[in-house]
Structure formats: C-alpha cells, structure tokens
Amino acid sequence: MVPSTSPVHPVDPALQESIAFISNQFAIEGDFLHGEEIQSGHINSTYRASFETANGAIHRYILQRINEKVFRDPLAVMRNVECVTRHINWKVLRVKKDLGGQTLNLYPGRGGKSWVIGPNGGVWRCYNSIEGCVTYDIVENTRQAYQAARAFGSFQDLVSDLPASEIEETIPDFHHTRKRFERLMRVADADPHARAGTVAEELDFVGRREADINVVLDLLANHHIPCRITHNDTKINNVMIDADSDEAVCVIDLDTVMPGASLYDFGDLVRTATSPAAEDERDLSKVVMQMPMFEALVDGFLDAANDSLNDAETEHLAFSGKLITLETGIRFLTDFLEGDSYFKIHREGHNLDRCRTQFKLVAEIERQQGAMQKFVGKMRKGKR
Ligand code: GN1
Ligand code: MG
C-alpha cells in the first residue's frame, strides 16, 4: 500500500552534520538535536531540523537547498518568496487582527539575508515548520480535496493585489504548453539516449492532442482570461492540512509563484487530487478520475475565488485538469528522453512511469469531461 502522507527519512551521520552546520547559520534559538530528510519534492532538497531551547521545548525548522539547475537565479526565487510571505503575513494580520494562525516565515541567516550559502555551495533557506499538520500525496476524502482547493483559491485572492512587477519570472515559460510540446518533439527526434523506441505509443498519444496545447495560451493572448499572480505548483502535497480537523492551514512551496493563469492552479489540483493512485503508479488500472473529488475541488476553489473568476476561466476549469495533466506527462516524458536530468528519480524508468500515469489520467478525464463540465456550470450558478 502506498502511504498517502509524504515520507520522512533518517539521514546518515555526515548529512546530520551538514544539516547541523547549515541550521546553525540561521537565527534559530536553542541547540541542534537532529535532522531528517523530507523526500516528497522532485526538485529541491528538503530537511527538517529539531532544536531544543533552554526550557526544554523542542522546535522544528525546514531547511531547503534550492536546485539551481532548475532555478537558474536562486536569489530571484528568494526575492519572490520574501515578497509573497511578507505580503501574506501582512494580510493575515490585517484581516484577522492577529498572527495566531500558522503562516510561512523565513528565518534570517548569518549576514542578514534570508538565505545562506552552504558548505558545498548552493543557496539554503530556513522556514518554520507548520506544526500539527500533514501533507498528503494522495487525497483520502472529499473534505481534504475541498480544503486544498479552497486554500489555493484563497492564496490567489491573498496575492491578487501584489503588483505584478514585484514578482520575477523565475522559470520562463513554465506553463507554456506549446513550447513544452515542441521540446518533446525535438528530443524525440534527436533521441540522445536511444529511448524513443520505447515510447512510440506515448508520443502518439501527445500528437493526437495537439489541438489542446494552445487553448489556455490563446485565452491569455486574446485577453479572454487575465494573467494573475499564481502559485503554479498546486499539487496536493503542497498544502499543509491539520492532522486532527483535516482543515487546510497554509500552502507551501512558493518557488514558482509567478504571473500565470488561475487555470494552471486549478488544473494541477485536478491532476493530483482526483486519482487515488500515486503519481508514479505502475498499475494503471488504479488511475481513475474520481468525480466526487473533482466536485469537492470545484466547490472549494469557487468558494474561495468565484467572485474573481471570469466566465472564460470558469468554463475551462474542467479542461484545465486535462491540460495540466497532459502537460505534466509531457514534461516527465521529455525528461525521460533527455536522460532524467530535471526531476529526481528513484528507480530506472521512473519518469516514464510518471508519464504513463499522467496519460492514463488524461484519458480518464476525457471520458468524463462532459459530466465534469456540467457540474462546473451547475455549481457556478449556485454560488452566484
Ligand atoms: C515539481 O518540486 P515539486 O515536486 O513540488 C515541479 C512541478 C511539477 C511536479 C510534478 C519547479 O514539483 O512543476 O508539477 O514536480 N516543480 C518544478 O510532481 O518544476
Ligand atoms: Mg515544488
């Protein structure tokens, strides 16, 4: 059985030492006790450090090294994260009049910046650990799906008044599906690792859906939908959910907060929250689009963001799930053909497995597209 919560792993003594060293560069109170690795992300390296204060209390902190192969300008990422966390904390304080809730905070590092350079190079940062919460790789019930969608809808609302000029595009063309499609076709032609022979079926699957590739890009280009500041990585394990109440407490992983379309954010929720199978599940019969989960996502997202979404955005909510799932499959397939240099892999063929899971889900969404579309229409009217 695949665990549905994100895994945490003990680390070897050398790594313990370097976690201790890095965390001691930050303004953290107390003495370092131990560190562990959090293995859920595919890009950055993430660790949790426990510290004990003089009165015996234990506090935990999240340390992350930014992957600079993916984020070519890690300091731009840090400027974005500083801007967004400050803005959200300000808003939460203004609206709720207290800071009692848990939000993400960066700890100052030695030298007065929000980051330090690690012993082996690299930009490291330190966040508070959001306590009493868990993250799920697979949603267990519709309540969690509703909460996650509401949290990302609220996030969009919280950052809606940040001037777009404050936010840098840290990965250009991140959701430019046309460019992602073309890159896949180029690497399939060049086939640098002689792997294209094994993926003819997958390439054909993508080719037959070329018409879908431009839909959201065209909506943006024609100003039918607005360009907003969006999270851009709304996968379900990027929401901290209260372990007792199942309520969403805050969203994490702010590295890809950039100008984008709200459809990208909703689409990735559909990709990661409607299937009961893991993102890399090999038994494709387990990959299904569960309608009740989709309904809970629409409900939660519209509860938080309905008033700000225009008609074209709402009309494409169901389609966005298909598009982002297709796009993510394209990205996994591209990385497989390029020799697995982008996403961390933990076994041979891992990116291909991930791609196949995505494409199975695309087919599932297509099968139920009519019902999904109908539900969105009904829901929108109800909430007006
Ligand atoms: C990566 O880092 P992580 O695991 O949250 C990726 C997302 C993909 C996701 C697929 C910067 O996110 O875009 O949707 O993997 N992040 C980046 O699981 O490329
Ligand atoms: Mg991420």
Side-chain angles (χ1 to χ4, degrees), residues 7-61:
V8 171
H9 290 273
V11 296
D12 62 40
L15 197 48
Q16 280 288 342
E17 219 173 280
S18 68
I19 298 173
F21 179 83
I22 301 279
S23 45
N24 279 317
Q25 307 289 303
F26 287 96
I28 296 178
E29 188 188 350
D31 294 319
F32 176 82
L33 286 179
H34 56 84
E36 57 214 341
E37 184 171 9
I38 300 181
Q39 263 195 3
S40 71
H42 298 335
I43 307 292
N44 295 325
S45 307
T46 308
Y47 306 92
R48 188 162 58 200
S50 298
F51 273 69
E52 185 173 7
T53 56
N55 65 4
I58 293 175
H59 295 285
R60 303 193 295 178
Y61 301 86

Side-chain angles (χ1 to χ4, degrees), residues 89-206:
N89 285 327
W90 173 82
K91 269 248 171 117
V92 169
L93 184 62
R94 285 293 303 242
V95 175
K96 289 174 47 180
K97 307 285 181 213
D98 75 69
L99 269 178
Q102 299 195 79
T103 55
L104 275 187
N105 288 288
L106 287 165
Y107 282 80
R110 184 187 291 268
K113 304 268 195 324
S114 63
W115 47 268
V116 300
I117 300 294
N120 306 316
V123 172
W124 287 78
R125 64 183 168 209
C126 175
Y127 283 121
N128 53 319
S129 164
I130 309 284
E131 294 301 342
C133 290
V134 284
T135 58
Y136 292 94
D137 289 338
I138 298 171
V139 171
E140 292 171 341
N141 55 53
T142 52
R143 183 172 162 73
Q144 292 166 356
Y146 172 89
Q147 285 288 322
R150 207 174 74 162
F152 280 116
S154 308
F155 177 85
Q156 183 178 298
D157 183 51
L158 281 170
V159 295
S160 60
D161 57 343
L162 256 183
S165 57
E166 295 286 310
I167 299 296
E168 298 173 59
E169 200 177 3
T170 47
I171 303 181
D173 299 321
F174 191 57
H175 282 301
H176 198 298
T177 332
R178 164 60 58 189
K179 289 191 180 169
R180 300 243 180 233
F181 175 91
E182 281 162 6
R183 179 165 170 179
L184 170 64
M185 294 307 160
R186 273 200 310 276
V187 70
D189 271 350
D191 198 16
H193 296 272
R195 290 176 170 181
T198 56
V199 300
E201 217 176 291
E202 285 71 25
L203 290 169
D204 181 58
F205 184 94
V206 177

Side-chain angles (χ1 to χ4, degrees), residues 79-80 83-84 162-169 229 257-259:
R79 286 193 292 276
N80 280 358
C83 176
V84 171
L162 256 183
S165 57
E166 295 286 310
I167 299 296
E168 298 173 59
E169 200 177 3
I229 292 178
V257 173
M258 281 183 284

Side-chain angles (χ1 to χ4, degrees), residues 169-325:
E169 200 177 3
T170 47
I171 303 181
D173 299 321
F174 191 57
H175 282 301
H176 198 298
T177 332
R178 164 60 58 189
K179 289 191 180 169
R180 300 243 180 233
F181 175 91
E182 281 162 6
R183 179 165 170 179
L184 170 64
M185 294 307 160
R186 273 200 310 276
V187 70
D189 271 350
D191 198 16
H193 296 272
R195 290 176 170 181
T198 56
V199 300
E201 217 176 291
E202 285 71 25
L203 290 169
D204 181 58
F205 184 94
V206 177
R208 279 185 280 121
R209 286 160 182 79
E210 189 174 355
D212 293 330
I213 295 297
N214 289 328
V215 173
V216 173
L217 293 169
D218 288 348
L219 288 171
L220 279 169
N222 299 328
H223 302 290
H224 291 148
I225 63 172
C227 179
R228 305 173 182 279
I229 292 178
T230 45
H231 184 282
N232 294 307
D233 189 9
T234 57
K235 66 180 185 184
I236 192 70
N237 63 16
N238 279 334
V239 189
M240 303 298 305
I241 299 201
D242 186 291
D244 295 329
S245 69
D246 262 356
E247 270 180 36
V249 172
C250 84
V251 307
I252 56 170
D253 195 351
L254 307 174
D255 296 338
T256 49
V257 173
M258 281 183 284
S262 63
L263 292 172
Y264 299 147
D265 282 0
F266 187 75
D268 211 27
L269 278 165
V270 176
R271 178 181 81 82
T272 57
T274 61
S275 169
E279 188 183 57
D280 56 359
E281 175 60 60
R282 275 188 275 212
D283 178 355
L284 296 183
S285 69
K286 293 188 181 153
V287 182
V288 290
M289 203 298 294
Q290 305 172 99
M291 200 60 192
M293 292 296 183
F294 175 75
E295 293 176 358
L297 292 178
V298 175
D299 193 8
F301 201 70
L302 290 186
D303 269 352
N306 190 34
D307 294 340
S308 62
L309 296 180
N310 74 17
D311 286 344
E313 286 176 308
T314 320
E315 271 158 30
H316 288 84
L317 285 178
F319 172 79
S320 73
K322 174 183 168 183
L323 180 73
I324 292 298
T325 310

